[in-house]
Amino acid sequence: MTQGHCTPTHRAMRPAPVPAPFLVAALAVALFSLMDALMKHASIAIGAYSALLIRSLIGTLVMLPVWRLGQAPWPHGERLRIHVLRAVISCAMALLFFHALVLLPLAEAIALSFIAPLIALYLAAAVLGERIGPKAVIASLLGVVGVILITIGRFEHGMPDRQSIEGIAAVLVSACLYAWNLILQRRIAQMANPAEIALSQHAITAILLLLAAPWFARMPGWGELGILGLAAILATISLLLMAWAYARAQAQVLVPVEYTGFLWAVLFGWLFFAETVAIPTIFGGLLIVVGCLVAAPRREPEQMAA
C-alpha cells in the first residue's frame, strides 16, 4: 500500500451512515470494558506491568500478519512520530489504569476515569480546531455530574484508605493521559489505516516495556496466559473499530460514548468480581446514559479534509 493509500481522501468517498461511527465506537468501548475486566484479573495475579507486556506481545503477533496482508510499508516521518508518541502515552496510561484496577472496584475505576472525555473535548478544540457544540458540552456535564454522584456514594461512609487514595490518584493521572491519547487517535486515524494503528500501538508498547523486563517481568500461569490472549484479541478488535470510527467522525461526536463503559464495568464487575453497585452509582450511571443520548449524532458527520 502506498503512502497515498494510507491517507484517504474523504471527499471522494461516500460518508458512513449517520449513526455508524457512533455505534461502532460504542461497540469498541464495550469490548474494551470486557478487556479491562480480564486485565484486572491478570494484574491481580501477576502485576499490571507483566499483564500489559504479555498482552502487547500477543497483540503484536495477532496483528502482524493482518498488517502484512495489506502489503503496507512501515510508517515513517510524521506518521511514525505520532505512532511512537501515542504508544508512549498509551503505555503510561495503561500501566496506571491497570494498577488502579487492582486497588479499586472495576466500576468505580471506570467512573473516575470519565474526566478524560471532558478534557478531550476541549483538547480537540485547542489541538484539532474542532468547534465545541452545545450538545457536546451538555453531554459532558451530565457525565461529570454522574461521576460526582458515584464518587460521593463511594466515600459517604468515611474517608478512603491509603490503597483507595493511591488507586484514585493512578486513575486521575491515567485519565489525563487518555484525554491526550484520544486527540492523537483522531489525528492518526486521518493518516493511517486501522491495521497499522493497532499494530503500531501493540508493537511499540511491547518494545518499551521489554526494556524493563529483566527487573519487573513475571511469568503467568497457563490460566492467566489464556486470559491475556483473549484480552489481547479484544484490545485489537477494539483498536480497529475505534480507528475506523475516528476516521469518520469528529472527536466531540465520539468522545461522549466513552461514558457507556461505566455500564459495562458495572456488569462485568458484578459477574467476575462480585462487586456491588450502590444507589448513587445507579443514578450516576443513568445521567451518563442520558449524556450519551444527547451527544448521539442526528446528521452526517462533517467530511474530513484529505
Side-chain angles (χ1 to χ4, degrees):
M1 184 178 289
T2 64
Q3 178 77 14
H5 289 144
C6 289
T7 309
T9 304
H10 289 270
R11 294 191 188 94
M13 297 173 59
R14 183 187 179 92
V18 176
F22 188 85
L23 295 177
V24 168
L27 176 59
V29 170
L31 296 179
F32 264 130
S33 299
L34 178 55
M35 183 273 296
D36 284 337
L38 297 176
M39 290 298 291
K40 176 181 174 76
H41 175 87
S43 296
I44 291 172
I46 61 173
Y49 168 84
S50 297
L52 181 59
L53 171 60
I54 295 169
R55 193 201 74 176
S56 299
L57 290 171
I58 295 173
T60 300
L61 294 175
V62 170
M63 279 308 303
L64 190 58
V66 176
W67 174 70
R68 288 303 301 163
L69 284 175
Q71 299 181 336
W74 185 251
H76 59 276
E78 180 68 7
R79 278 212 334 270
L80 180 59
R81 187 189 71 80
I82 296 177
H83 279 313
V84 173
L85 177 60
R86 183 167 179 251
V88 170
I89 292 170
S90 296
C91 183
M93 171 196 78
L95 281 174
L96 287 167
F97 185 71
F98 294 145
H99 176 63
L101 289 183
V102 175
L103 303 174
L104 299 173
L106 184 63
E108 290 168 14
I110 295 289
L112 290 169
S113 73
F114 286 154
I115 191 175
L118 180 63
I119 297 170
L121 283 171
Y122 297 96
L123 279 177
V127 177
L128 302 178
E130 294 184 3
R131 187 179 66 85
I132 300 299
K135 288 201 306 180
V137 174
I138 293 170
S140 297
L141 292 176
L142 286 171
V144 169
V145 171
V147 171
I148 291 172
L149 281 177
I150 295 163
T151 305
I152 291 173
R154 165 70 169 163
F155 302 131
E156 64 182 355
H157 299 300
M159 291 298 293
D161 56 24
R162 182 175 179 179
Q163 176 175 294
S164 295
I165 293 174
E166 181 181 342
I168 292 168
V171 171
L172 294 179
V173 175
S174 176
C176 293
L177 293 174
Y178 186 46
W180 192 1
N181 176 69
L182 287 172
I183 302 306
L184 292 175
Q185 180 169 275
R186 168 67 170 164
R187 289 184 63 189
I188 198 61
Q190 299 177 48
M191 304 169 68
N193 61 45
E196 178 184 307
I197 293 171
L199 174 63
S200 63
Q201 180 157 331
H202 280 311
I204 298 172
T205 298
I207 291 170
L208 291 171
L209 292 173
L210 280 171
L211 297 175
W215 297 276
F216 298 109
R218 293 168 56 187
M219 290 301 296
W222 287 109
E224 285 76 27
L225 190 60
I227 288 173
L228 287 168
L230 179 56
I233 292 172
L234 290 173
T236 299
I237 295 172
S238 300
L239 285 169
L240 292 172
L241 292 175
M242 200 64 82
W244 186 92
Y246 270 81
R248 289 161 175 80
Q250 289 190 352
Q252 67 174 343
V253 172
L254 298 179
V255 162
V257 80
E258 299 284 336
Y259 293 130
T260 62
F262 169 74
L263 302 178
W264 294 110
V266 170
L267 175 62
F268 297 141
W270 175 70
L271 284 176
F272 301 143
F273 305 102
E275 296 171 353
T276 58
V277 182
I279 295 299
T281 301
I282 295 174
F283 281 115
L286 288 175
L287 281 178
I288 290 168
V289 172
V290 171
C292 289
L293 292 175
V294 169
R298 294 173 176 79
R299 60 182 179 84
E300 290 185 344
E302 290 185 20
Q303 292 183 355
M304 292 169 8

